[in-house]
Amino acid sequence: GQTNINFKFDYSGMKVDGKSEKAYVEEQVKSKNKEKKGSGDEWKSDWESSYRTDFFQKKVIEDFITATESIALEGGYFEDAPYTVTIKTTVIDPGVSAGPFTRPSMVSIEAIFTKTNSTDVLAKIVVEEAKSGNYDMANKFYDIGRIASAFGEAGENLGDAVIKALKKVK
C-alpha cells in the first residue's frame, strides 16, 4: 500500500576490482596522477561524491522506478516515507573495454528494508553480479558510465524482486 520508499546508500566495506576500495582508489589516484598531475586527486574527489550521487545512485533509483511502475511504487530520497531500503554495495567490478577481451562492469548489492529510523531488518534482497549492458555503446570506453549501467541493472533487478515478493504476500 506504499507509494514511496526512501533510499539510502552504503559503500562501506565494498570490494572494487577484487581489492579493498581504499587500495583501488590509491591505485587509481597514483596511475591518473602519473598520466596528468592532479587528475588522480580530482578523480578521487569525484569517486567519493558525484560519481556516487550523479551516476550510481541515480541509475539505481531510475531503474527501480521503471521496474516498479506497474505497482506505483517510487523509490528516492523520501525521508518521511514509512520504509527505507539501504542499498549496501558489496562488489564493483569496473570491467574493461579491450576489443575482443571486453568485460562488462558488474555490481553486487544487498538491499536491506527497514522501517524508517529503525535498524530492525524487515527484509533483505541480494542482487549479485548485475552487469552493464553488452550493447551500451555510449559507455563502452567510460568506466564510470559502465559501472552506472551495472547499478541500473541492479536497481531493475531489485524492483523485479520487490514485485515478485509482493505477489507472494497477496
Side-chain angles (χ1 to χ4, degrees), residues 64-145:
F64 177 86
I65 291 170
T66 300
T68 58
E69 189 173 48
S70 66
I71 61 168
L73 178 60
E74 186 172 347
Y77 302 109
F78 302 109
E79 293 180 10
D80 58 343
Y83 298 97
T84 294
V85 59
T86 300
I87 305 297
K88 180 164 179 46
T89 302
T90 56
V91 176
I92 296 176
D93 179 343
V96 67
S97 180
F101 304 105
T102 296
R103 188 181 77 247
S105 294
M106 183 275 301
V107 171
S108 293
I109 64 165
E110 295 175 352
I112 303 158
F113 293 80
T114 60
K115 283 190 176 183
T116 299
N117 299 320
S118 171
T119 57
D120 295 336
V121 176
L122 303 172
K124 181 175 168 181
I125 297 173
V126 176
V127 177
E128 293 184 338
E129 298 186 7
K131 291 184 172 76
S132 59
N134 288 338
Y135 303 103
D136 189 0
M137 297 308 286
N139 293 313
K140 184 175 181 178
F141 300 109
Y142 180 49
D143 289 352
I144 300 308

Side-chain angles (χ1 to χ4, degrees), residues 149-161:
S149 177
F151 269 102
E153 181 69 16
E156 181 179 343
N157 292 348
L158 175 60
D160 292 344

